[in-house]
Amino acid sequence: MRCFTLLLTLLLGTCVYAQDFTLSLRAIDDETEEALPFLSVQLNPGGASGTMDEEGKLKFNLRGGQYTIRASFTGYADYQGVVLVERDRNFVIRMEPTSELLETVVVTDQNARLDLSRPQMGVERLSAQELESIPTVLGERDVLRSLQLLPGVSAAGEASNGISVRGGTLDQNLLLMDGAPVFTPTHLFGLFTVFTPDAVGGIDLYRGNIPARYGGRVSSVVDVRSRTPNAESLILKGGIGLVSSNLSVETPLGQSGKWNVLLAARGGFNDFAFSLVERLQDTRSRFGDATLKLRYRPSEQDLITLTGFYSQDFYQVDLLTTFGGVAATSNQYAYLTLNGGLEWVRLLSDKLSWSTQVTNAHYAPELRFPQLDGESIINFASTIDQLTLRTALSGDENAQHAWSFGLQADQYTLDPGRLDPGGSTSVRAIDLENERGQELTAFVEDTWSVNDRLTIGAGLRFTYYRQLGPGENRIYTPGAEVAQINLESTESFASGETISSYSGLEPRLGISYQVGVNTSLKASYARSRQYLQNIFNATTPLPTSRWKVADPNVGPQTANLVSAGISHVTGNGKYAFRLEGYYRQLIDLLDYKPGADFFLNPTVETDLLRGEGRAYGVEFTANRRAGRLTGEINYAFARVENRVEGQDFGTRINRGDWFPGYFDQPHTFSANLVLDEGKTHELGFNFVIQSNRPYTVPNGFVDINGTDIPLFLERNNARLPLYHRLDFSWTINNLKRQKRDWTGEWVFTVYNIYGRDNAYNIFFQPRDAGTPPLGIFSGSPFAAYRLSIFGAPVVSLAYKFTFIPTKKK
C-alpha cells in the first residue's frame, strides 16, 4: 500500500510538473508603488528571459516547477526571488531604488538593511510621500525646506534663497530638475521652492562622495525627478490654499498605450495678504510654475521622454528704494526659469543599456526701478543659458559589477547685465560683455561587490574647461593686488578663441565593509571643481545676483572631501542608526573686499579676494520607519572656517587668520515625527534648534567732526541669537472612508507654534525715528536693528483632492 501511495504521488507530481502554466509578472518601485517598464527578467532553470512592457508587465508560459527570478534595471538594486509554479500565478517584483554608483538611501524599514552594503556616504532620498508628511510654512509642500531637516543641511534664514550643505555657500549646490540646472530655486522672497509639488516624484541629495556622473559644484547635488506619468488611467489632482492653488493631470494618450503624459501647474497671487499689513501696503507678489513630462515607447527596447519646466516670479518691495546708486519709488523683481530636456533610453540587452539626454536651462532675472515722476521705469536684466549633452552606457555583470561610462558637454552663455534707462535722462545705458564657457567631461564608475562583506564604489571624472571669446583678458601686475591701479595690459580675443582653460581629474571612492549582520563601516573620498560661480556680498544672493564663468583672474574652486562612518540596523529592521564624520578642504575660495559692489561692474575681479576654506563635523541620524509613530532625529556638530591672507591690509580679512564662514552653525538638532492615526488622520511635528549664523559688529568708533562713527575691522566676529521653532501639521484624509473616484483631504499647519522671534539678521544703519533700535553707539547717528521674518505663529489651511475615475468593465 505504501509503495502504491508513493507511486501515485510521483505520477501526480510528474503530471503537474509536465503541465504548462502562465506566470504573470509585474514590476514596481518598492517605494512609490509605480510600475517599472522595460525591466529585464531572467528565469532559471531554463534560461527564459524577457523585458517588461510599458506597464511593467510580462508573461511566461512555463512547465510546472520552482524557478529563480532575476531582474535588473538601471537605478535599482538587482533582484532575486523564488516562485513555485504549480498553477497560473501572479507575481510582483518589488525593485529597491538605488543609483548607478553610490546608491541613494531610501530610508524605509524594507531597505534599511540594504544600506549596510552600499558604498555611499552622505546620501539621502526623500519620496513624494515623505514630503507630504512634513509640516512647512503656510502649508506648502517644499523640497528645500524638507531637506533642511537632514543633518548638515541648513538655510541662511527663513527667507533664504536656497540651502547650505555642510557649510557651503548657496551657489555650491547643483540643483537639477530632470537633469537641467535651476539657478534660483525659490518663490515669494525665498519662502518656497519652485518645484511643482504634484510633479515631484523624488529627491536625491548627495553631500558626500558625489557619483562621478555629477560635477560642476563643490558642495552637493540635489537631483529632483518628476513623477512617472500613470500609464493605465486618468489621475487628476489639485488643491486650493491661502498661498497658492495647484492642478495636475496624468493620463495615457490614445489606445496604443505607447504615450502617457503628466502636466502639473501651480499659481500664487498674494497681493491681498500684504494689503492687510499697514507696513506692507505697497508690497506685491505673485508666482507660478509648471512641469510637463511626456513619455513615448516606440518599441520594447526604447523609451523617449520629453520634459519641460517653467517658473516665473514677480514681487515688489518699497523697503529698499535705492540699488546700485539708482533711486526709485520701489524695487520690482521679476525672474523666469524655462528648462527643457529630451532623453532616449535604449535597452541593448538584458544587462546593457544606453541613454542620451540633451537639456537646456534658461534663467532671466530682471530688476525694475519705477521713477518718482511715474512715467519712466529703469530696467536691469541679465540671462544665463546652459546647454548640456550627455550620453552614457551602463551595464551589470554577474551581480558583481554595476558600471557606467559616459561623456558630457556643457555650453555656458552669460549676459552679466544691461541697464535700460527707460526714458530717464539721469541714467546712462550700460551693456556688459557676454561671457562664454565650455566644459567637456568623461566619467567612468563601477560598483564592485567583492564578497558578502566588502563593496567598493569607484569613479573617475575628467573635466576640461575653457573660456571662449569674444572677450578680453585683463593682465595685472604679478604678485600685486588685483586693482585698476595695477592693470598692465588688456588682451582681446575673437569669437571662439580660447581665453583661458583649466582641467583636472576628479576621483570618487566609497568603501563599505560589513562587520556583522547588522553593522557596517564606511569610508569615502571625493574631489570636485566648480567653473560657474555666483558672486554676492550679502547673507543670501538676490535673484539678480551676478553669475560668473571661470577666467584668468577668477579660477575654479576645488574641494577635497573625506568621510568615514558606521551604520547599524536593529535585528527587526525597525530602527536604523548612522554616524558620519567628514572634513572638506576648499581651494581658491571666493570672498569679497569691504565695500565691494558687483552691480554692473565690468571688472568684478577687482572687488574679489581669493582664499581657502575648511569644513568639518560629525552627523548622527536615528530613524524609525515602522509602526504608527515614525520619524527621524538628527544632530550635527559642524564648523566652517575661511582664511584670506592677502598681500596687505586691503586684501587681508581678519589679519589673515581663520574666521567663521557665513554658514558656520556649530550645533543643530532636528526631529521630524509623524503619527498615523489610521486611514483618516495624520499628525506631523518638526522641531529645530541650532546655533545661528555669524554676523559682523563694530570693533570701535572713530570721532569724525565730533560724531562717533562705528569702525568695522573684523568680519563675522559675533553670532546671532539661538534659533529654534516647533511646527505642526494635521491631515484629515477621506473622513467618511468612502470608496469613490473623488477623494479629498484637509491640511492644517502651524509654522512656529510658540511664536519664537528668531533673528534673520542684525544690521546697522542710520537711526530711524520710527523704529526702536537694539542699540545706539554712544552719540553715533548709526544704530543696530534686528530683522525677523516670522516672529509669530503662521497658520494655514488647504484643501487637496484626487480624482481617479473607475474603469468601466
Side-chain angles (χ1 to χ4, degrees), residues 135-137 149 158 669-673 684-689 723-729 749-756 758 790 792-794:
T136 56
V137 61
L149 297 174
E158 285 167 313
F669 173 86
S670 66
N672 170 36
L673 303 176
F685 300 88
N686 289 341
F687 178 69
V688 179
I689 180 169
Y723 178 99
H724 55 87
R725 75 168 200 276
L726 175 66
D727 310 326
F728 166 75
S729 71
T749 63
V750 183
Y751 182 88
N752 193 10
I753 288 179
Y754 51 81
R756 166 71 174 179
N758 290 300
F790 297 117
V794 181

mmCIF file of all heavy atoms in Angstrom, residues 135-137 149 158 669-673 684-689 723-729 749-756 758 790 792-794:
data_model
loop_
_atom_site.group_PDB
_atom_site.id
_atom_site.type_symbol
_atom_site.label_atom_id
_atom_site.label_comp_id
_atom_site.label_asym_id
_atom_site.label_seq_id
_atom_site.Cartn_x
_atom_site.Cartn_y
_atom_site.Cartn_z
ATOM 1 N N PRO A 135 5.490 69.151 7.950
ATOM 2 C CA PRO A 135 4.876 70.483 8.050
ATOM 3 C C PRO A 135 5.803 71.556 7.502
ATOM 4 O O PRO A 135 7.004 71.542 7.757
ATOM 5 C CB PRO A 135 4.678 70.672 9.567
ATOM 6 C CG PRO A 135 4.850 69.324 10.173
ATOM 7 C CD PRO A 135 5.751 68.565 9.270
ATOM 8 N N THR A 136 5.258 72.491 6.733
ATOM 9 C CA THR A 136 6.056 73.574 6.177
ATOM 10 C C THR A 136 5.311 74.882 6.350
ATOM 11 O O THR A 136 4.119 74.906 6.669
ATOM 12 C CB THR A 136 6.357 73.349 4.691
ATOM 13 O OG1 THR A 136 5.129 73.177 3.982
ATOM 14 C CG2 THR A 136 7.208 72.112 4.491
ATOM 15 N N VAL A 137 6.013 75.973 6.124
ATOM 16 C CA VAL A 137 5.437 77.288 6.291
ATOM 17 C C VAL A 137 4.281 77.482 5.311
ATOM 18 O O VAL A 137 4.377 77.171 4.128
ATOM 19 C CB VAL A 137 6.502 78.390 6.121
ATOM 20 C CG1 VAL A 137 7.123 78.351 4.748
ATOM 21 C CG2 VAL A 137 5.918 79.755 6.403
ATOM 22 N N LEU A 149 15.732 69.540 7.255
ATOM 23 C CA LEU A 149 15.582 68.717 8.447
ATOM 24 C C LEU A 149 16.655 67.638 8.531
ATOM 25 O O LEU A 149 16.760 66.946 9.539
ATOM 26 C CB LEU A 149 14.195 68.075 8.469
ATOM 27 C CG LEU A 149 13.015 69.040 8.554
ATOM 28 C CD1 LEU A 149 11.707 68.296 8.418
ATOM 29 C CD2 LEU A 149 13.047 69.822 9.862
ATOM 30 N N GLU A 158 14.894 82.238 7.314
ATOM 31 C CA GLU A 158 13.561 81.799 6.904
ATOM 32 C C GLU A 158 13.141 82.369 5.564
ATOM 33 O O GLU A 158 12.133 81.950 5.016
ATOM 34 C CB GLU A 158 12.551 82.166 7.996
ATOM 35 C CG GLU A 158 12.670 81.245 9.178
ATOM 36 C CD GLU A 158 11.924 81.732 10.397
ATOM 37 O OE1 GLU A 158 12.059 82.918 10.747
ATOM 38 O OE2 GLU A 158 11.221 80.922 11.002
ATOM 39 N N PHE A 669 20.118 70.491 16.039
ATOM 40 C CA PHE A 669 19.302 69.328 16.401
ATOM 41 C C PHE A 669 17.948 69.475 15.724
ATOM 42 O O PHE A 669 17.340 70.553 15.754
ATOM 43 C CB PHE A 669 19.117 69.234 17.916
ATOM 44 C CG PHE A 669 18.139 68.153 18.327
ATOM 45 C CD1 PHE A 669 18.560 66.849 18.502
ATOM 46 C CD2 PHE A 669 16.792 68.445 18.525
ATOM 47 C CE1 PHE A 669 17.663 65.849 18.860
ATOM 48 C CE2 PHE A 669 15.895 67.466 18.888
ATOM 49 C CZ PHE A 669 16.325 66.157 19.055
ATOM 50 N N SER A 670 17.471 68.408 15.107
ATOM 51 C CA SER A 670 16.158 68.445 14.469
ATOM 52 C C SER A 670 15.450 67.117 14.671
ATOM 53 O O SER A 670 16.094 66.058 14.761
ATOM 54 C CB SER A 670 16.278 68.753 12.972
ATOM 55 O OG SER A 670 16.927 67.708 12.297
ATOM 56 N N ALA A 671 14.136 67.189 14.739
ATOM 57 C CA ALA A 671 13.308 65.992 14.882
ATOM 58 C C ALA A 671 12.093 66.143 13.987
ATOM 59 O O ALA A 671 11.454 67.197 13.967
ATOM 60 C CB ALA A 671 12.888 65.793 16.337
ATOM 61 N N ASN A 672 11.782 65.105 13.260
ATOM 62 C CA ASN A 672 10.605 65.063 12.400
ATOM 63 C C ASN A 672 9.836 63.799 12.735
ATOM 64 O O ASN A 672 10.320 62.690 12.497
ATOM 65 C CB ASN A 672 11.018 65.073 10.927
ATOM 66 C CG ASN A 672 9.854 64.792 10.012
ATOM 67 O OD1 ASN A 672 8.729 65.207 10.269
ATOM 68 N ND2 ASN A 672 10.118 64.065 8.939
ATOM 69 N N LEU A 673 8.648 63.945 13.320
ATOM 70 C CA LEU A 673 7.854 62.810 13.774
ATOM 71 C C LEU A 673 6.487 62.839 13.109
ATOM 72 O O LEU A 673 5.882 63.901 12.949
ATOM 73 C CB LEU A 673 7.685 62.837 15.298
ATOM 74 C CG LEU A 673 8.976 62.847 16.125
ATOM 75 C CD1 LEU A 673 8.655 62.964 17.601
ATOM 76 C CD2 LEU A 673 9.805 61.595 15.856
ATOM 77 N N GLY A 684 1.811 65.556 12.143
ATOM 78 C CA GLY A 684 3.241 65.722 11.918
ATOM 79 C C GLY A 684 3.814 66.822 12.790
ATOM 80 O O GLY A 684 3.158 67.838 13.049
ATOM 81 N N PHE A 685 5.056 66.621 13.258
ATOM 82 C CA PHE A 685 5.729 67.596 14.112
ATOM 83 C C PHE A 685 7.164 67.786 13.632
ATOM 84 O O PHE A 685 7.859 66.813 13.327
ATOM 85 C CB PHE A 685 5.752 67.133 15.575
ATOM 86 C CG PHE A 685 4.398 66.917 16.181
ATOM 87 C CD1 PHE A 685 3.765 65.691 16.070
ATOM 88 C CD2 PHE A 685 3.749 67.943 16.849
ATOM 89 C CE1 PHE A 685 2.513 65.474 16.630
ATOM 90 C CE2 PHE A 685 2.502 67.746 17.408
ATOM 91 C CZ PHE A 685 1.875 66.511 17.288
ATOM 92 N N ASN A 686 7.605 69.024 13.580
ATOM 93 C CA ASN A 686 9.011 69.371 13.338
ATOM 94 C C ASN A 686 9.514 70.181 14.523
ATOM 95 O O ASN A 686 8.829 71.097 14.981
ATOM 96 C CB ASN A 686 9.182 70.252 12.100
ATOM 97 C CG ASN A 686 8.928 69.505 10.812
ATOM 98 O OD1 ASN A 686 8.957 68.290 10.778
ATOM 99 N ND2 ASN A 686 8.671 70.245 9.750
ATOM 100 N N PHE A 687 10.718 69.862 14.972
ATOM 101 C CA PHE A 687 11.365 70.715 15.963
ATOM 102 C C PHE A 687 12.806 70.927 15.539
ATOM 103 O O PHE A 687 13.513 69.978 15.195
ATOM 104 C CB PHE A 687 11.325 70.099 17.357
ATOM 105 C CG PHE A 687 12.020 70.945 18.394
ATOM 106 C CD1 PHE A 687 11.484 72.156 18.783
ATOM 107 C CD2 PHE A 687 13.222 70.534 18.957
ATOM 108 C CE1 PHE A 687 12.125 72.951 19.728
ATOM 109 C CE2 PHE A 687 13.868 71.319 19.902
ATOM 110 C CZ PHE A 687 13.317 72.534 20.279
ATOM 111 N N VAL A 688 13.249 72.193 15.541
ATOM 112 C CA VAL A 688 14.603 72.544 15.124
ATOM 113 C C VAL A 688 15.197 73.496 16.148
ATOM 114 O O VAL A 688 14.542 74.467 16.563
ATOM 115 C CB VAL A 688 14.615 73.220 13.732
ATOM 116 C CG1 VAL A 688 16.038 73.600 13.338
ATOM 117 C CG2 VAL A 688 13.998 72.317 12.680
ATOM 118 N N ILE A 689 16.417 73.231 16.575
ATOM 119 C CA ILE A 689 17.169 74.157 17.419
ATOM 120 C C ILE A 689 18.621 74.136 16.941
ATOM 121 O O ILE A 689 19.195 73.070 16.729
ATOM 122 C CB ILE A 689 17.065 73.774 18.922
ATOM 123 C CG1 ILE A 689 17.863 74.768 19.767
ATOM 124 C CG2 ILE A 689 17.501 72.346 19.182
ATOM 125 C CD1 ILE A 689 17.614 74.631 21.263
ATOM 126 N N TYR A 723 18.593 79.878 17.436
ATOM 127 C CA TYR A 723 17.398 79.713 16.610
ATOM 128 C C TYR A 723 16.675 78.435 17.028
ATOM 129 O O TYR A 723 17.290 77.371 17.181
ATOM 130 C CB TYR A 723 17.804 79.609 15.140
ATOM 131 C CG TYR A 723 16.642 79.391 14.189
ATOM 132 C CD1 TYR A 723 16.089 80.448 13.484
ATOM 133 C CD2 TYR A 723 16.097 78.117 13.995
ATOM 134 C CE1 TYR A 723 15.020 80.253 12.613
ATOM 135 C CE2 TYR A 723 15.035 77.917 13.132
ATOM 136 C CZ TYR A 723 14.503 78.988 12.448
ATOM 137 O OH TYR A 723 13.434 78.797 11.601
ATOM 138 N N HIS A 724 15.364 78.526 17.216
ATOM 139 C CA HIS A 724 14.576 77.306 17.441
ATOM 140 C C HIS A 724 13.110 77.578 17.111
ATOM 141 O O HIS A 724 12.619 78.709 17.191
ATOM 142 C CB HIS A 724 14.719 76.790 18.879
ATOM 143 C CG HIS A 724 14.398 77.787 19.950
ATOM 144 N ND1 HIS A 724 13.122 77.989 20.444
ATOM 145 C CD2 HIS A 724 15.189 78.653 20.624
ATOM 146 C CE1 HIS A 724 13.140 78.918 21.374
ATOM 147 N NE2 HIS A 724 14.382 79.352 21.507
ATOM 148 N N ARG A 725 12.394 76.510 16.735
ATOM 149 C CA ARG A 725 10.974 76.615 16.412
ATOM 150 C C ARG A 725 10.352 75.220 16.411
ATOM 151 O O ARG A 725 11.043 74.197 16.288
ATOM 152 C CB ARG A 725 10.747 77.274 15.060
ATOM 153 C CG ARG A 725 11.052 76.425 13.881
ATOM 154 C CD ARG A 725 10.542 76.984 12.552
ATOM 155 N NE ARG A 725 10.439 75.956 11.564
ATOM 156 C CZ ARG A 725 11.443 75.522 10.797
ATOM 157 N NH1 ARG A 725 12.644 76.084 10.923
ATOM 158 N NH2 ARG A 725 11.249 74.551 9.936
ATOM 159 N N LEU A 726 9.021 75.193 16.545
ATOM 160 C CA LEU A 726 8.235 73.955 16.504
ATOM 161 C C LEU A 726 7.105 74.141 15.503
ATOM 162 O O LEU A 726 6.405 75.159 15.515
ATOM 163 C CB LEU A 726 7.661 73.634 17.888
ATOM 164 C CG LEU A 726 6.720 72.431 17.975
ATOM 165 C CD1 LEU A 726 7.479 71.135 17.675
ATOM 166 C CD2 LEU A 726 6.079 72.367 19.363
ATOM 167 N N ASP A 727 6.934 73.160 14.602
ATOM 168 C CA ASP A 727 5.876 73.202 13.589
ATOM 169 C C ASP A 727 4.931 72.020 13.789
ATOM 170 O O ASP A 727 5.311 70.984 14.365
ATOM 171 C CB ASP A 727 6.465 73.125 12.175
ATOM 172 C CG ASP A 727 7.587 74.118 11.955
ATOM 173 O OD1 ASP A 727 7.515 75.213 12.532
ATOM 174 O OD2 ASP A 727 8.534 73.794 11.209
ATOM 175 N N PHE A 728 3.724 72.163 13.265
ATOM 176 C CA PHE A 728 2.706 71.130 13.432
ATOM 177 C C PHE A 728 1.851 71.041 12.170
ATOM 178 O O PHE A 728 1.559 72.068 11.532
ATOM 179 C CB PHE A 728 1.815 71.466 14.635
ATOM 180 C CG PHE A 728 0.545 70.660 14.710
ATOM 181 C CD1 PHE A 728 0.564 69.331 15.108
ATOM 182 C CD2 PHE A 728 -0.675 71.234 14.369
ATOM 183 C CE1 PHE A 728 -0.603 68.591 15.161
ATOM 184 C CE2 PHE A 728 -1.849 70.508 14.435
ATOM 185 C CZ PHE A 728 -1.819 69.179 14.829
ATOM 186 N N SER A 729 1.470 69.831 11.795
ATOM 187 C CA SER A 729 0.524 69.651 10.690
ATOM 188 C C SER A 729 -0.494 68.573 11.046
ATOM 189 O O SER A 729 -0.173 67.609 11.756
ATOM 190 C CB SER A 729 1.262 69.256 9.403
ATOM 191 O OG SER A 729 1.749 67.937 9.479
ATOM 192 N N THR A 749 -1.857 73.481 9.053
ATOM 193 C CA THR A 749 -0.476 73.597 9.520
ATOM 194 C C THR A 749 -0.288 74.846 10.363
ATOM 195 O O THR A 749 -0.945 75.863 10.144
ATOM 196 C CB THR A 749 0.526 73.653 8.344
ATOM 197 O OG1 THR A 749 0.272 74.823 7.573
ATOM 198 C CG2 THR A 749 0.411 72.425 7.464
ATOM 199 N N VAL A 750 0.605 74.731 11.320
ATOM 200 C CA VAL A 750 1.039 75.878 12.129
ATOM 201 C C VAL A 750 2.567 75.878 12.111
ATOM 202 O O VAL A 750 3.202 74.944 12.594
ATOM 203 C CB VAL A 750 0.531 75.812 13.573
ATOM 204 C CG1 VAL A 750 0.951 77.078 14.330
ATOM 205 C CG2 VAL A 750 -0.979 75.643 13.618
ATOM 206 N N TYR A 751 3.118 76.913 11.545
ATOM 207 C CA TYR A 751 4.571 77.085 11.487
ATOM 208 C C TYR A 751 4.980 78.004 12.632
ATOM 209 O O TYR A 751 4.407 79.065 12.835
ATOM 210 C CB TYR A 751 4.947 77.699 10.141
ATOM 211 C CG TYR A 751 6.427 77.905 9.911
ATOM 212 C CD1 TYR A 751 7.211 76.895 9.372
ATOM 213 C CD2 TYR A 751 7.027 79.121 10.212
ATOM 214 C CE1 TYR A 751 8.565 77.094 9.124
ATOM 215 C CE2 TYR A 751 8.382 79.320 9.975
ATOM 216 C CZ TYR A 751 9.139 78.308 9.434
ATOM 217 O OH TYR A 751 10.475 78.499 9.200
ATOM 218 N N ASN A 752 5.983 77.568 13.426
ATOM 219 C CA ASN A 752 6.464 78.344 14.575
ATOM 220 C C ASN A 752 5.349 78.481 15.616
ATOM 221 O O ASN A 752 4.862 79.578 15.906
ATOM 222 C CB ASN A 752 6.968 79.712 14.120
ATOM 223 C CG ASN A 752 7.762 80.435 15.191
ATOM 224 O OD1 ASN A 752 8.111 79.860 16.220
ATOM 225 N ND2 ASN A 752 8.041 81.703 14.959
ATOM 226 N N ILE A 753 4.942 77.350 16.189
ATOM 227 C CA ILE A 753 3.779 77.280 17.079
ATOM 228 C C ILE A 753 3.861 78.285 18.218
ATOM 229 O O ILE A 753 2.894 78.999 18.514
ATOM 230 C CB ILE A 753 3.631 75.851 17.644
ATOM 231 C CG1 ILE A 753 3.139 74.905 16.545
ATOM 232 C CG2 ILE A 753 2.662 75.830 18.824
ATOM 233 C CD1 ILE A 753 2.992 73.476 17.008
ATOM 234 N N TYR A 754 4.994 78.359 18.897
ATOM 235 C CA TYR A 754 5.076 79.217 20.082
ATOM 236 C C TYR A 754 5.632 80.608 19.753
ATOM 237 O O TYR A 754 6.001 81.372 20.651
ATOM 238 C CB TYR A 754 5.889 78.553 21.206
ATOM 239 C CG TYR A 754 7.245 78.018 20.802
ATOM 240 C CD1 TYR A 754 8.344 78.858 20.705
ATOM 241 C CD2 TYR A 754 7.419 76.670 20.551
ATOM 242 C CE1 TYR A 754 9.590 78.365 20.355
ATOM 243 C CE2 TYR A 754 8.669 76.156 20.201
ATOM 244 C CZ TYR A 754 9.748 77.019 20.108
ATOM 245 O OH TYR A 754 10.992 76.523 19.766
ATOM 246 N N GLY A 755 5.656 80.970 18.485
ATOM 247 C CA GLY A 755 5.949 82.345 18.092
ATOM 248 C C GLY A 755 7.337 82.832 18.450
ATOM 249 O O GLY A 755 7.506 83.999 18.834
ATOM 250 N N ARG A 756 8.336 81.989 18.288
ATOM 251 C CA ARG A 756 9.712 82.400 18.559
ATOM 252 C C ARG A 756 10.128 83.498 17.579
ATOM 253 O O ARG A 756 10.001 83.353 16.356
ATOM 254 C CB ARG A 756 10.639 81.193 18.411
ATOM 255 C CG ARG A 756 12.120 81.523 18.342
ATOM 256 C CD ARG A 756 12.691 81.991 19.655
ATOM 257 N NE ARG A 756 14.135 82.156 19.567
ATOM 258 C CZ ARG A 756 14.901 82.579 20.566
ATOM 259 N NH1 ARG A 756 14.347 82.880 21.732
ATOM 260 N NH2 ARG A 756 16.189 82.707 20.411
ATOM 261 N N ASN A 758 12.754 84.625 15.965
ATOM 262 C CA ASN A 758 14.127 84.323 15.547
ATOM 263 C C ASN A 758 14.696 85.448 14.691
ATOM 264 O O ASN A 758 14.010 85.991 13.820
ATOM 265 C CB ASN A 758 14.150 83.013 14.748
ATOM 266 C CG ASN A 758 13.882 81.804 15.619
ATOM 267 O OD1 ASN A 758 14.611 81.535 16.557
ATOM 268 N ND2 ASN A 758 12.815 81.082 15.301
ATOM 269 N N PHE A 790 9.428 85.599 10.555
ATOM 270 C CA PHE A 790 8.217 85.060 11.166
ATOM 271 C C PHE A 790 8.381 85.120 12.683
ATOM 272 O O PHE A 790 8.896 84.191 13.300
ATOM 273 C CB PHE A 790 7.968 83.617 10.726
ATOM 274 C CG PHE A 790 7.730 83.471 9.249
ATOM 275 C CD1 PHE A 790 8.596 82.742 8.470
ATOM 276 C CD2 PHE A 790 6.638 84.071 8.650
ATOM 277 C CE1 PHE A 790 8.384 82.604 7.106
ATOM 278 C CE2 PHE A 790 6.413 83.945 7.293
ATOM 279 C CZ PHE A 790 7.286 83.207 6.519
ATOM 280 N N ALA A 792 5.826 85.309 14.757
ATOM 281 C CA ALA A 792 4.567 84.859 15.339
ATOM 282 C C ALA A 792 4.148 83.579 14.627
ATOM 283 O O ALA A 792 4.643 83.268 13.532
ATOM 284 C CB ALA A 792 3.488 85.938 15.187
ATOM 285 N N PRO A 793 3.239 82.786 15.221
ATOM 286 C CA PRO A 793 2.770 81.576 14.542
ATOM 287 C C PRO A 793 2.137 81.902 13.187
ATOM 288 O O PRO A 793 1.437 82.906 13.043
ATOM 289 C CB PRO A 793 1.737 81.003 15.517
ATOM 290 C CG PRO A 793 2.104 81.573 16.843
ATOM 291 C CD PRO A 793 2.660 82.933 16.568
ATOM 292 N N VAL A 794 2.401 81.057 12.207
ATOM 293 C CA VAL A 794 1.833 81.220 10.869
ATOM 294 C C VAL A 794 0.896 80.041 10.620
ATOM 295 O O VAL A 794 1.337 78.889 10.543
ATOM 296 C CB VAL A 794 2.929 81.268 9.791
ATOM 297 C CG1 VAL A 794 2.304 81.466 8.415
ATOM 298 C CG2 VAL A 794 3.920 82.389 10.092
#
